[in-house]
Amino acid sequence: MSELPSDLARVVLSAETIHARVCEIADQLSKDYADKDGLYIIGILKGAFIFLADLTRQLTLPHVVDFMAVSSYGKTDTFSGAVRIIMDLREPIEGRHVLIVEDIVDTGHTLSYLYRTLKGRKPASLNACVLVQKERDSLEVPIHYLGFKIPDVWVVGYGLDFADAYRTLPYIAELKREEG
Ligand code: 5GP
């Protein structure tokens, strides 16, 4: 592998490791939803776009892709309980089998908010598929399909950013902490 950018401490998940797990999750989803009348997949922007693209291209069942963008209040704060929708779905989800696809769960506030909001729209079922979850104290939110648990550090790559940089790295890496 070529050298890491100097702001990054180490690779946490290699491209190969991620690819293998994404294929496993897609197989599982294809089995679990095989008897349903299609799947309505909601990618949470911006971070989930690469995971979503790789995952959906491995699915062997009919599915529709839609997007939502959410934002936490407090740009400089990595922790904020308040979440708001900045871009909503194009269609109603009433009666549909819905899968939220999210890049990362940290405190769990974002996923918890999404459950509350989307449940109110009366889907036939509502599950979540998350690529990485940090090992830390967080809200109890059900994650039906989880890629990996990772240490509680700031990670970038494979859709995840730091100030909009590093999103398109093929791997997930830990960002170096600022000294002092
Ligand atoms: P929550 O704390 O609500 O579970 O996560 C809030 C949002 O913070 C996530 O959807 C993600 O956009 C962002 N986030 C949390 N931890 C990280 C991280 O380590 N790296 C990046 N790039 N974003 C993160």
Side-chain angles (χ1 to χ4, degrees), residues 2 9 14 23 28 54 64 82 87-88 137 144 149 167 176:
S2 56
S14 70
C23 291
Q28 193 61 53
D54 285 350
V64 170
M87 190 189 92
D88 209 338
D137 284 342
H144 310 82
K149 290 210 174 201
R167 270 193 210 282
K176 278 185 188 163

Side-chain angles (χ1 to χ4, degrees), residues 74-90:
K75 262 266 172 194
T76 51
D77 205 350
T78 53
F79 172 85
S80 167
V83 179
R84 71 194 159 106
I85 296 178
I86 51 180
M87 190 189 92
D88 209 338
L89 300 172
R90 297 224 171 181

Side-chain angles (χ1 to χ4, degrees), residues 28-180:
Q28 193 61 53
L29 285 167
S30 299
K31 286 186 193 124
D32 292 354
Y33 287 89
D35 62 340
K36 306 282 188 294
D37 186 22
L39 184 56
Y40 195 90
I41 298 181
I42 303 177
I44 309 303
L45 297 174
K46 296 181 187 173
F49 81 111
I50 291 181
F51 176 39
L52 179 95
D54 285 350
L55 183 74
T56 50
R57 287 179 297 166
Q58 300 291 334
L59 291 177
T60 57
L61 79 172
H63 59 274
V64 170
V65 173
D66 202 349
F67 294 97
M68 273 177 103
V70 295
S71 161
S72 305
Y73 287 108
K75 262 266 172 194
T76 51
D77 205 350
T78 53
F79 172 85
S80 167
V83 179
R84 71 194 159 106
I85 296 178
I86 51 180
M87 190 189 92
D88 209 338
L89 300 172
R90 297 224 171 181
E91 293 173 37
I93 54 169
E94 185 167 352
R96 306 185 89 156
H97 292 283
V98 173
L99 183 73
I100 301 168
V101 174
E102 179 57 308
D103 51 358
I104 190 163
V105 166
D106 184 4
T107 64
H109 280 107
T110 304
L111 192 55
S112 163
Y113 171 83
L114 287 167
Y115 274 123
R116 284 199 307 278
T117 304
L118 296 173
K119 261 186 193 150
R121 301 183 190 184
K122 301 188 172 57
S125 66
L126 180 63
N127 286 337
C129 174
V130 174
L131 184 63
V132 289
Q133 179 179 29
K134 290 191 187 173
E135 285 173 321
R136 54 162 290 171
D137 284 342
S138 62
L139 295 183
E140 283 284 321
V141 278
I143 300 175
H144 310 82
Y145 303 90
L146 176 64
F148 305 92
K149 290 210 174 201
I150 59 163
D152 185 12
V153 293
W154 194 264
V155 287
V156 296
Y158 202 72
L160 293 156
D161 74 313
F162 176 68
D164 265 325
Y166 302 121
R167 270 193 210 282
T168 54
L169 290 174
Y171 49 83
I172 291 182
E174 176 181 347
L175 192 72
K176 278 185 188 163
R177 277 168 211 260
E178 275 180 28
E179 302 293 324

